[in-house]
Amino acid sequence: MRTIDDFTRPLEYISPMDGLLGSIFRDWVEKEVMPYRRQFDEDYRDHRLIHPPFKKLLGEYGLQRMIFPEDLGGWGMGRSNYMCTAAFRMFEEIARADTGMALAFGALFWPFLFIALEPHENRRLLEEFAPMFCETTEPVFAALCMTEPQGGSDIENIEIVKGSTIRTTAVLDGDEWVINGHKLWPSNTGGLARLMAVVCTTNPGSDDPRDIAVIYVTSDTPGVTQGPPYEKAGMAADMNSDVWFENVRVPSWYRACGPGDDAKYFGEIMSTGNMGIIAWISGAMMNIYERLTEFVNRKKYRGLPLKENDAVAGVLADFAANIEAIRIVGYQCARMCDRHDLYGPLWDPGLVAKMRAQRYLAMDRFIEVTGRVMNLMECFGTDRDWDVEKHWRDLKILQLVEGSKQLCQIETARWFYECRTL
Amino acid sequence: MNDLELFPYPKNRLQKTDLDLAASLQDLVQKEIVDKRLELKEDYRGLLEPNLNKLLVEVGLQRMFWPEKLGGEEHNGPEAAYTVAAALEQVGRADTGLAYLAAHNLALQASLAMRENLNQEACGRFAPLFCDGRGPVIVSFVLPVFGEDEKAPAWRGKSFQVRARAASGSWVLNGKGVRPTCSGADAHLFGAWCAVEGEEQPAFILVPGDAPGLSRGPEFKKTGLAASRNADLDLSGVEVPAENCLFRGDLEYRRLLSWFYLGVSAAAVGGLLAAYQILKEWGDNRVIKGTGNVFKENPLTGALMGEIAQDISMSRLLAYDLAGMLADPTTFGDAGSDMVYTAALMIVHHVLATAERALHRTMELMASAGYAKEWQLERYWRDLKTVQCYVGSHELAKHDFARWFYGARTL
Ligand SMILES: Cc1cc2nc3c(=O)[nH]c(=O)nc-3n(C[C@H](O)[C@H](O)[C@H](O)COP(=O)(O)OP(=O)(O)OC[C@H]3O[C@@H](n4cnc5c(N)ncnc54)[C@H](O)[C@@H]3O)c2cc1C
């Protein structure tokens, strides 16, 4: 019988850890997530069911340590040139069960990209934060606080808007930053985050990227408040809330990379983030394929399994063809993110644009073919028990995080056609 | 101008009573549903059930077609199609699920009490239930689905869910794990298209929700349509009087579905109008690309908004065109004729596919606000997708279109 493992994986460049990681994650998913995931939607506020699998994965298996250098108790992934290819496999496996978990897992590492990747490792900050993640078996979450009430895209749109709309301020007062502002939506908030990387401006209204500052704040610092979790259409395992910073004081060396570099390395979150989204899409589609296969075998039409109808087979083929394409493209993106020697640095606007292009295309394909599959399954397509609708609901947001669809289009056009005003 | 009238609204084809009904429904649903849902969300007991009562009983949608002498309003000429469209569009704007339930109720009324085909006996039996003012009558259908037993009797390839046997003066019905089109947990009346033992011709039989032998499973979770608490049913030797069989023929079955598809199309248009209003409210002052650039003035997002408005307009025109076909059988033929039924099926699928696309785009434009329950948009996205799935597979419906247009015979 065919399985999800029959879809092509680019064997010539997958990470050497791929097989091991794959089996660890698959086993964890089967035992710790699959049996409970249909109840996650109602668990969005408390994470009573969502927390235990995270505890196992992040704390007990120690995945939350993975980006830190080995001498600080981590696994040294930040220095590996298989980081993204390995992450692709992990993301795929988690997203097969639950994309919200995959997003929360991926977002945990976003704050560390500024300080854990070469050539801009910030050793002092890594030493400062490594114990929080590496010396415990409890899950510890981190969040990247970027979006503000007036809009997220503009802050991500660094090339054109250049941070001029950021309202969260960071003022240097002696050897401390004083942070004030209001953020919306960071993944892993709602009370979960222990550490946050906050995107601030040191000069409100300025369009000089050197005034964009990424500053770390631990959630127990006086003046930090995380609101209650939002209720969303899906993605319950990713907790999001408002976060307020009121005269929050942190040491001056808590700034990630420094003037100009904070803005520059923000691109790394965009390239790896968009690559990650493709992995989540691929993982979710694998699971839809599994459930759909069961459906079209079990359900009958004109006395035969549904899959034996030519018109139905057309829909099934489109779905499989899209998985094949999305997975291969996704792995290729991961490899491009890993091989700086061949494809340029992670923050390179060309690489970011290419990641955005592939990701929005993959997402559009997902929306189209999954919508058709749900409809093909008729009333069962909307049943929680058939799981397809969950992926459909969960993934919709992946058109919006890490750059909305339109921002992706604009950045793609801007790079490929050298547009100057978009 | 009322902003709902920005979209093509064929007022010239509607009677004054339809326009008045639409206007009063617009006020009612605004006050009773739209203004309260931030607080009550999708609460069935707190918001949806009381409003179903208001719409069906107090406004009287469930009395619309029945003869006056039986307590109805006898608005039962074909022109009632416009009334259905105008009313359900308004209800759908507030809650697509409520409109979907009302579409069931109105389709059943239309199939029994339409002036030209009035079924005296059935009206006599069932009109009192709808007209006694005691509460809403939730109507649900049991239609053929993809079954799991390849030998099960089938209708156009899909398995009948209920088998009926004629006994003396009654029908005995059996079915396991039966999936109704809505409200399995609450419906008062199930209209089941049943396979009849030993006979070719199926039968459409009404089963009261409290019939002995009918049991309901637990409400199951689904994507949307909170107003329809659905559950699977078991029918174990359920016995109903012979007169509960409303019809046996394809013509009547299609007539019922044509009217149902009209209601569903109008409900979907209502959902689209709601999405328009939400996006407009959100987008009027949203700024992107730095200060001073209002989102609707951006060429890319503005074009998408234009496309959404186009989708809404076309869907509305199509829904009213379907109403026009049903309202004029002299020109277009019986609602159950191949041609009208095919048109109804095409229109409902087209409107629902368009609604899906437009809702996806509206969600994209509103970004995180679209995904947050607080902004109320995402419920329409979930509801409309759920309705689309319950109406059936578009892929297989295309075979119906091909049968009619190209004379395909084996599809
Ligand atoms: C589940 C989830 C997880 C999230 N996680 C995080 C997180 O970890 N950290 C964080 O900071 N934020 C997070 N966000 C927020 C997310 O990053 C923002 O939603 C996103 O940046 C879009 O911002 P916005 O919602 O404010 O919409 P806006 O930026 O206001 O965009 C509105 C619309 O305008 C369009 N638009 C914007 N700019 C342009 C342009 N230049 N040209 C054309 N069209 C444009 C957009 O495509 C969109 O359609 C998360 C959101 C969700 C739902």
Short mmCIF file of all heavy atoms in Angstrom, two decimals, chain A residues 287-339:
data_model
loop_
_atom_site.label_atom_id
_atom_site.label_comp_id
_atom_site.label_asym_id
_atom_site.label_seq_id
_atom_site.Cartn_x
_atom_site.Cartn_y
_atom_site.Cartn_z
N ASN A 287 -1.01 14.52 5.52
CA ASN A 287 -2.07 13.94 6.34
C ASN A 287 -3.41 13.95 5.61
O ASN A 287 -4.20 13.00 5.71
CB ASN A 287 -2.17 14.70 7.67
CG ASN A 287 -3.13 14.03 8.63
OD1 ASN A 287 -4.07 14.64 9.12
ND2 ASN A 287 -2.93 12.74 8.88
N ILE A 288 -3.66 15.01 4.86
CA ILE A 288 -4.90 15.03 4.08
C ILE A 288 -4.89 13.86 3.09
O ILE A 288 -5.89 13.17 2.90
CB ILE A 288 -5.08 16.38 3.36
CG1 ILE A 288 -5.22 17.50 4.40
CG2 ILE A 288 -6.31 16.34 2.45
CD1 ILE A 288 -5.27 18.89 3.80
N TYR A 289 -3.73 13.66 2.49
CA TYR A 289 -3.59 12.52 1.56
C TYR A 289 -3.95 11.21 2.28
O TYR A 289 -4.70 10.39 1.74
CB TYR A 289 -2.16 12.47 1.02
CG TYR A 289 -1.80 11.16 0.36
CD1 TYR A 289 -2.19 10.88 -0.95
CD2 TYR A 289 -1.10 10.18 1.07
CE1 TYR A 289 -1.88 9.67 -1.54
CE2 TYR A 289 -0.78 8.96 0.48
CZ TYR A 289 -1.18 8.71 -0.83
OH TYR A 289 -0.88 7.50 -1.40
N GLU A 290 -3.45 11.04 3.49
CA GLU A 290 -3.74 9.80 4.23
C GLU A 290 -5.23 9.64 4.49
O GLU A 290 -5.81 8.57 4.28
CB GLU A 290 -3.01 9.81 5.58
CG GLU A 290 -1.51 9.72 5.48
CD GLU A 290 -0.83 9.90 6.84
OE1 GLU A 290 -0.86 11.01 7.41
OE2 GLU A 290 -0.27 8.92 7.33
N ARG A 291 -5.83 10.74 4.95
CA ARG A 291 -7.25 10.66 5.29
C ARG A 291 -8.11 10.53 4.04
O ARG A 291 -9.10 9.80 4.02
CB ARG A 291 -7.67 11.90 6.11
CG ARG A 291 -6.86 12.11 7.37
CD ARG A 291 -7.03 10.97 8.36
NE ARG A 291 -8.32 11.04 9.02
CZ ARG A 291 -9.15 10.01 9.18
NH1 ARG A 291 -8.84 8.82 8.72
NH2 ARG A 291 -10.30 10.16 9.80
N LEU A 292 -7.70 11.23 3.01
CA LEU A 292 -8.44 11.18 1.75
C LEU A 292 -8.37 9.78 1.15
O LEU A 292 -9.36 9.25 0.63
CB LEU A 292 -7.84 12.21 0.79
CG LEU A 292 -8.43 12.30 -0.61
CD1 LEU A 292 -9.90 12.69 -0.55
CD2 LEU A 292 -7.65 13.33 -1.45
N THR A 293 -7.19 9.18 1.25
CA THR A 293 -7.03 7.83 0.71
C THR A 293 -7.98 6.87 1.41
O THR A 293 -8.65 6.04 0.76
CB THR A 293 -5.56 7.35 0.89
OG1 THR A 293 -4.72 8.31 0.28
CG2 THR A 293 -5.33 5.99 0.27
N GLU A 294 -8.05 7.02 2.72
CA GLU A 294 -8.98 6.15 3.45
C GLU A 294 -10.41 6.41 2.99
O GLU A 294 -11.19 5.48 2.76
CB GLU A 294 -8.84 6.40 4.96
CG GLU A 294 -9.69 5.44 5.77
CD GLU A 294 -9.67 5.74 7.26
OE1 GLU A 294 -8.76 6.45 7.74
OE2 GLU A 294 -10.60 5.26 7.94
N PHE A 295 -10.73 7.67 2.82
CA PHE A 295 -12.09 8.03 2.43
C PHE A 295 -12.47 7.44 1.08
O PHE A 295 -13.52 6.82 0.93
CB PHE A 295 -12.22 9.57 2.40
CG PHE A 295 -13.62 10.06 2.17
CD1 PHE A 295 -14.49 10.21 3.24
CD2 PHE A 295 -14.08 10.37 0.90
CE1 PHE A 295 -15.79 10.66 3.04
CE2 PHE A 295 -15.38 10.82 0.69
CZ PHE A 295 -16.23 10.96 1.77
N VAL A 296 -11.61 7.64 0.11
CA VAL A 296 -11.98 7.21 -1.25
C VAL A 296 -11.89 5.69 -1.43
O VAL A 296 -12.39 5.14 -2.40
CB VAL A 296 -11.18 7.93 -2.36
CG1 VAL A 296 -11.51 9.42 -2.36
CG2 VAL A 296 -9.68 7.70 -2.22
N ASN A 297 -11.23 5.03 -0.49
CA ASN A 297 -11.27 3.56 -0.49
C ASN A 297 -12.54 3.05 0.16
O ASN A 297 -13.16 2.10 -0.30
CB ASN A 297 -10.05 3.00 0.24
CG ASN A 297 -8.84 2.91 -0.67
OD1 ASN A 297 -8.92 2.36 -1.77
ND2 ASN A 297 -7.73 3.46 -0.24
N ARG A 298 -12.88 3.68 1.28
CA ARG A 298 -14.04 3.21 2.04
C ARG A 298 -15.37 3.57 1.39
O ARG A 298 -16.31 2.78 1.37
CB ARG A 298 -14.00 3.82 3.45
CG ARG A 298 -13.54 2.84 4.50
CD ARG A 298 -13.25 3.53 5.80
NE ARG A 298 -14.45 4.10 6.40
CZ ARG A 298 -14.43 4.77 7.55
NH1 ARG A 298 -13.30 4.93 8.20
NH2 ARG A 298 -15.54 5.29 8.07
N LYS A 299 -15.44 4.79 0.89
CA LYS A 299 -16.72 5.28 0.36
C LYS A 299 -16.93 4.79 -1.06
O LYS A 299 -15.98 4.74 -1.86
CB LYS A 299 -16.76 6.81 0.40
CG LYS A 299 -16.63 7.37 1.80
CD LYS A 299 -17.88 7.14 2.63
CE LYS A 299 -17.71 7.69 4.03
NZ LYS A 299 -18.89 7.46 4.87
N LYS A 300 -18.17 4.46 -1.33
CA LYS A 300 -18.48 3.86 -2.63
C LYS A 300 -19.31 4.81 -3.50
O LYS A 300 -20.15 5.56 -2.99
CB LYS A 300 -19.27 2.56 -2.43
CG LYS A 300 -18.58 1.55 -1.51
CD LYS A 300 -17.30 1.01 -2.12
CE LYS A 300 -16.64 -0.07 -1.28
NZ LYS A 300 -16.08 0.34 -0.03
N TYR A 301 -19.07 4.68 -4.78
CA TYR A 301 -19.85 5.45 -5.75
C TYR A 301 -20.07 4.54 -6.95
O TYR A 301 -19.11 3.96 -7.47
CB TYR A 301 -19.08 6.71 -6.15
CG TYR A 301 -19.81 7.60 -7.12
CD1 TYR A 301 -20.99 8.25 -6.74
CD2 TYR A 301 -19.32 7.81 -8.41
CE1 TYR A 301 -21.66 9.07 -7.63
CE2 TYR A 301 -19.99 8.63 -9.30
CZ TYR A 301 -21.16 9.26 -8.91
OH TYR A 301 -21.84 10.07 -9.78
N ARG A 302 -21.29 4.39 -7.34
CA ARG A 302 -21.65 3.47 -8.42
C ARG A 302 -21.07 2.07 -8.18
O ARG A 302 -20.50 1.44 -9.06
CB ARG A 302 -21.19 3.99 -9.78
CG ARG A 302 -21.86 5.30 -10.16
CD ARG A 302 -21.80 5.60 -11.63
NE ARG A 302 -22.41 6.88 -11.92
CZ ARG A 302 -23.73 7.10 -12.01
NH1 ARG A 302 -24.57 6.12 -11.86
NH2 ARG A 302 -24.20 8.31 -12.26
N GLY A 303 -21.14 1.66 -6.94
CA GLY A 303 -20.76 0.29 -6.61
C GLY A 303 -19.26 0.03 -6.53
O GLY A 303 -18.83 -1.11 -6.35
N LEU A 304 -18.48 1.06 -6.69
CA LEU A 304 -17.01 0.88 -6.63
C LEU A 304 -16.44 1.88 -5.63
O LEU A 304 -17.08 2.89 -5.33
CB LEU A 304 -16.40 1.17 -8.00
CG LEU A 304 -16.65 0.16 -9.11
CD1 LEU A 304 -16.16 0.72 -10.44
CD2 LEU A 304 -15.93 -1.16 -8.80
N PRO A 305 -15.20 1.63 -5.16
CA PRO A 305 -14.58 2.66 -4.34
C PRO A 305 -14.59 3.99 -5.09
O PRO A 305 -14.35 4.02 -6.31
CB PRO A 305 -13.16 2.14 -4.12
CG PRO A 305 -13.27 0.67 -4.30
CD PRO A 305 -14.34 0.45 -5.33
N LEU A 306 -14.83 5.03 -4.35
CA LEU A 306 -14.96 6.36 -4.95
C LEU A 306 -13.77 6.69 -5.87
O LEU A 306 -13.91 7.33 -6.91
CB LEU A 306 -15.04 7.39 -3.82
CG LEU A 306 -15.42 8.82 -4.10
CD1 LEU A 306 -16.69 8.94 -4.91
CD2 LEU A 306 -15.57 9.59 -2.80
N LYS A 307 -12.59 6.23 -5.50
CA LYS A 307 -11.38 6.57 -6.25
C LYS A 307 -11.40 6.00 -7.67
O LYS A 307 -10.61 6.41 -8.52
CB LYS A 307 -10.14 6.08 -5.52
CG LYS A 307 -10.03 4.56 -5.45
CD LYS A 307 -8.78 4.13 -4.71
CE LYS A 307 -8.70 2.61 -4.68
NZ LYS A 307 -7.55 2.13 -3.93
N GLU A 308 -12.29 5.03 -7.91
CA GLU A 308 -12.31 4.41 -9.24
C GLU A 308 -13.14 5.20 -10.24
O GLU A 308 -13.24 4.81 -11.40
CB GLU A 308 -12.83 2.96 -9.15
CG GLU A 308 -12.01 2.05 -8.25
CD GLU A 308 -10.57 1.85 -8.72
OE1 GLU A 308 -10.27 2.12 -9.90
OE2 GLU A 308 -9.73 1.43 -7.89
N ASN A 309 -13.74 6.29 -9.79
CA ASN A 309 -14.46 7.13 -10.74
C ASN A 309 -13.48 8.09 -11.41
O ASN A 309 -12.68 8.74 -10.72
CB ASN A 309 -15.56 7.91 -10.00
CG ASN A 309 -16.33 8.80 -10.94
OD1 ASN A 309 -15.92 9.92 -11.23
ND2 ASN A 309 -17.46 8.30 -11.42
N ASP A 310 -13.56 8.21 -12.71
CA ASP A 310 -12.55 8.99 -13.43
C ASP A 310 -12.55 10.47 -13.01
O ASP A 310 -11.48 11.09 -12.90
CB ASP A 310 -12.78 8.92 -14.95
CG ASP A 310 -12.75 7.50 -15.45
OD1 ASP A 310 -13.54 6.67 -14.93
OD2 ASP A 310 -11.94 7.20 -16.34
N ALA A 311 -13.75 11.01 -12.79
CA ALA A 311 -13.81 12.43 -12.43
C ALA A 311 -13.20 12.64 -11.05
O ALA A 311 -12.47 13.61 -10.81
CB ALA A 311 -15.25 12.93 -12.45
N VAL A 312 -13.50 11.74 -10.16
CA VAL A 312 -12.94 11.82 -8.80
C VAL A 312 -11.42 11.67 -8.89
O VAL A 312 -10.66 12.40 -8.24
CB VAL A 312 -13.56 10.72 -7.90
CG1 VAL A 312 -12.84 10.65 -6.56
CG2 VAL A 312 -15.06 10.98 -7.72
N ALA A 313 -11.00 10.72 -9.70
CA ALA A 313 -9.56 10.48 -9.84
C ALA A 313 -8.83 11.74 -10.30
O ALA A 313 -7.69 12.00 -9.90
CB ALA A 313 -9.30 9.34 -10.81
N GLY A 314 -9.52 12.55 -11.10
CA GLY A 314 -8.92 13.81 -11.54
C GLY A 314 -8.60 14.71 -10.35
O GLY A 314 -7.53 15.31 -10.26
N VAL A 315 -9.54 14.78 -9.42
CA VAL A 315 -9.33 15.61 -8.22
C VAL A 315 -8.20 15.01 -7.38
O VAL A 315 -7.32 15.73 -6.88
CB VAL A 315 -10.63 15.70 -7.38
CG1 VAL A 315 -10.41 16.54 -6.13
CG2 VAL A 315 -11.77 16.26 -8.22
N LEU A 316 -8.22 13.69 -7.23
CA LEU A 316 -7.20 13.03 -6.42
C LEU A 316 -5.81 13.25 -7.02
O LEU A 316 -4.83 13.50 -6.32
CB LEU A 316 -7.47 11.52 -6.32
CG LEU A 316 -8.82 11.11 -5.73
CD1 LEU A 316 -8.93 9.58 -5.67
CD2 LEU A 316 -9.01 11.71 -4.34
N ALA A 317 -5.76 13.13 -8.34
CA ALA A 317 -4.47 13.31 -9.01
C ALA A 317 -3.95 14.73 -8.79
O ALA A 317 -2.77 14.93 -8.48
CB ALA A 317 -4.63 13.04 -10.50
N ASP A 318 -4.84 15.70 -8.92
CA ASP A 318 -4.40 17.09 -8.72
C ASP A 318 -3.83 17.27 -7.31
O ASP A 318 -2.85 17.97 -7.11
CB ASP A 318 -5.57 18.07 -8.90
CG ASP A 318 -5.95 18.22 -10.36
OD1 ASP A 318 -5.25 17.66 -11.22
OD2 ASP A 318 -6.96 18.91 -10.63
N PHE A 319 -4.46 16.61 -6.36
CA PHE A 319 -3.99 16.75 -4.99
C PHE A 319 -2.59 16.15 -4.85
O PHE A 319 -1.67 16.78 -4.31
CB PHE A 319 -4.97 16.11 -4.00
CG PHE A 319 -4.73 16.55 -2.59
CD1 PHE A 319 -5.11 17.82 -2.17
CD2 PHE A 319 -4.07 15.74 -1.69
CE1 PHE A 319 -4.85 18.27 -0.89
CE2 PHE A 319 -3.80 16.17 -0.40
CZ PHE A 319 -4.19 17.44 0.00
N ALA A 320 -2.43 14.94 -5.36
CA ALA A 320 -1.12 14.28 -5.26
C ALA A 320 -0.06 15.05 -6.03
O ALA A 320 1.08 15.22 -5.55
CB ALA A 320 -1.23 12.84 -5.78
N ALA A 321 -0.42 15.53 -7.20
CA ALA A 321 0.55 16.27 -8.01
C ALA A 321 1.03 17.51 -7.26
O ALA A 321 2.20 17.87 -7.29
CB ALA A 321 -0.08 16.66 -9.35
N ASN A 322 0.10 18.15 -6.59
CA ASN A 322 0.48 19.34 -5.83
C ASN A 322 1.37 19.01 -4.64
O ASN A 322 2.28 19.77 -4.32
CB ASN A 322 -0.77 20.10 -5.38
CG ASN A 322 -1.25 21.05 -6.46
OD1 ASN A 322 -0.71 22.12 -6.63
ND2 ASN A 322 -2.24 20.62 -7.24
N ILE A 323 1.12 17.88 -4.00
CA ILE A 323 2.02 17.50 -2.90
C ILE A 323 3.43 17.29 -3.45
O ILE A 323 4.41 17.78 -2.89
CB ILE A 323 1.58 16.19 -2.20
CG1 ILE A 323 0.17 16.32 -1.62
CG2 ILE A 323 2.56 15.83 -1.09
CD1 ILE A 323 -0.29 15.07 -0.88
N GLU A 324 3.52 16.53 -4.52
CA GLU A 324 4.83 16.27 -5.12
C GLU A 324 5.56 17.59 -5.37
O GLU A 324 6.71 17.76 -4.96
CB GLU A 324 4.66 15.55 -6.47
CG GLU A 324 4.71 14.04 -6.43
CD GLU A 324 6.07 13.48 -6.02
OE1 GLU A 324 7.06 13.62 -6.76
OE2 GLU A 324 6.11 12.91 -4.93
N ALA A 325 4.87 18.51 -6.03
CA ALA A 325 5.53 19.77 -6.41
C ALA A 325 5.89 20.59 -5.17
O ALA A 325 7.01 21.10 -5.05
CB ALA A 325 4.61 20.56 -7.33
N ILE A 326 4.95 20.69 -4.25
CA ILE A 326 5.19 21.55 -3.07
C ILE A 326 6.33 20.98 -2.23
O ILE A 326 7.19 21.72 -1.75
CB ILE A 326 3.89 21.71 -2.26
CG1 ILE A 326 2.92 22.61 -3.03
CG2 ILE A 326 4.16 22.26 -0.86
CD1 ILE A 326 1.52 22.66 -2.47
N ARG A 327 6.35 19.68 -2.08
CA ARG A 327 7.40 19.10 -1.25
C ARG A 327 8.78 19.30 -1.89
O ARG A 327 9.74 19.69 -1.21
CB ARG A 327 7.14 17.62 -1.02
CG ARG A 327 8.17 17.03 -0.13
CD ARG A 327 8.00 15.55 0.00
NE ARG A 327 7.74 15.19 1.39
CZ ARG A 327 7.68 13.93 1.79
NH1 ARG A 327 7.81 12.95 0.94
NH2 ARG A 327 7.47 13.66 3.05
N ILE A 328 8.86 19.07 -3.17
CA ILE A 328 10.18 19.21 -3.81
C ILE A 328 10.63 20.67 -3.79
O ILE A 328 11.77 20.98 -3.46
CB ILE A 328 10.14 18.64 -5.25
CG1 ILE A 328 9.99 17.12 -5.16
CG2 ILE A 328 11.40 19.01 -6.01
CD1 ILE A 328 9.80 16.43 -6.47
N VAL A 329 9.71 21.54 -4.10
CA VAL A 329 10.05 22.96 -4.05
C VAL A 329 10.46 23.35 -2.63
O VAL A 329 11.43 24.09 -2.42
CB VAL A 329 8.83 23.81 -4.52
CG1 VAL A 329 8.98 25.25 -4.09
CG2 VAL A 329 8.69 23.73 -6.02
N GLY A 330 9.73 22.84 -1.65
CA GLY A 330 10.02 23.18 -0.25
C GLY A 330 11.41 22.73 0.16
O GLY A 330 12.17 23.47 0.78
N TYR A 331 11.74 21.51 -0.21
CA TYR A 331 13.08 21.02 0.13
C TYR A 331 14.16 21.84 -0.57
O TYR A 331 15.23 22.12 -0.03
CB TYR A 331 13.24 19.54 -0.22
CG TYR A 331 12.97 18.64 0.97
CD1 TYR A 331 11.81 17.87 1.05
CD2 TYR A 331 13.88 18.56 2.03
CE1 TYR A 331 11.57 17.05 2.14
CE2 TYR A 331 13.64 17.75 3.13
CZ TYR A 331 12.49 16.99 3.19
OH TYR A 331 12.26 16.20 4.26
N GLN A 332 13.85 22.19 -1.80
CA GLN A 332 14.82 23.01 -2.54
C GLN A 332 15.00 24.36 -1.85
O GLN A 332 16.12 24.86 -1.71
CB GLN A 332 14.34 23.20 -3.99
CG GLN A 332 15.22 24.11 -4.83
CD GLN A 332 16.65 23.57 -5.00
OE1 GLN A 332 16.88 22.37 -4.92
NE2 GLN A 332 17.60 24.47 -5.20
N CYS A 333 13.91 24.93 -1.37
CA CYS A 333 14.01 26.19 -0.64
C CYS A 333 14.87 26.01 0.61
O CYS A 333 15.70 26.86 0.94
CB CYS A 333 12.61 26.69 -0.23
SG CYS A 333 11.67 27.32 -1.60
N ALA A 334 14.63 24.89 1.32
CA ALA A 334 15.40 24.63 2.53
C ALA A 334 16.89 24.55 2.19
O ALA A 334 17.75 25.11 2.89
CB ALA A 334 14.93 23.34 3.19
N ARG A 335 17.18 23.88 1.10
CA ARG A 335 18.59 23.73 0.72
C ARG A 335 19.18 25.08 0.33
O ARG A 335 20.33 25.38 0.64
CB ARG A 335 18.68 22.74 -0.46
CG ARG A 335 20.06 22.16 -0.62
CD ARG A 335 20.42 21.33 0.59
NE ARG A 335 21.85 21.00 0.64
CZ ARG A 335 22.61 21.18 1.71
NH1 ARG A 335 22.12 21.69 2.81
NH2 ARG A 335 23.87 20.84 1.69
N MET A 336 18.37 25.90 -0.33
CA MET A 336 18.87 27.23 -0.69
C MET A 336 19.15 28.06 0.56
O MET A 336 20.08 28.87 0.58
CB MET A 336 17.83 27.95 -1.58
CG MET A 336 17.78 27.38 -2.99
SD MET A 336 16.29 27.90 -3.87
CE MET A 336 16.65 29.60 -4.23
N CYS A 337 18.36 27.85 1.58
CA CYS A 337 18.59 28.58 2.83
C CYS A 337 19.83 28.06 3.55
O CYS A 337 20.44 28.77 4.34
CB CYS A 337 17.37 28.45 3.75
SG CYS A 337 15.96 29.42 3.22
N ASP A 338 20.17 26.80 3.32
CA ASP A 338 21.33 26.22 4.01
C ASP A 338 22.64 26.52 3.31
O ASP A 338 23.68 26.68 3.95
CB ASP A 338 21.18 24.68 4.07
CG ASP A 338 20.28 24.24 5.21
OD1 ASP A 338 20.17 25.00 6.19
OD2 ASP A 338 19.71 23.14 5.12
N ARG A 339 22.60 26.57 1.99
CA ARG A 339 23.86 26.68 1.24
C ARG A 339 24.15 28.13 0.85
O ARG A 339 23.99 28.55 -0.29
CB ARG A 339 23.80 25.78 -0.01
CG ARG A 339 23.77 24.30 0.30
CD ARG A 339 25.06 23.84 0.99
NE ARG A 339 26.25 24.08 0.19
CZ ARG A 339 26.76 23.20 -0.69
NH1 ARG A 339 26.21 22.02 -0.84
NH2 ARG A 339 27.84 23.52 -1.38
#
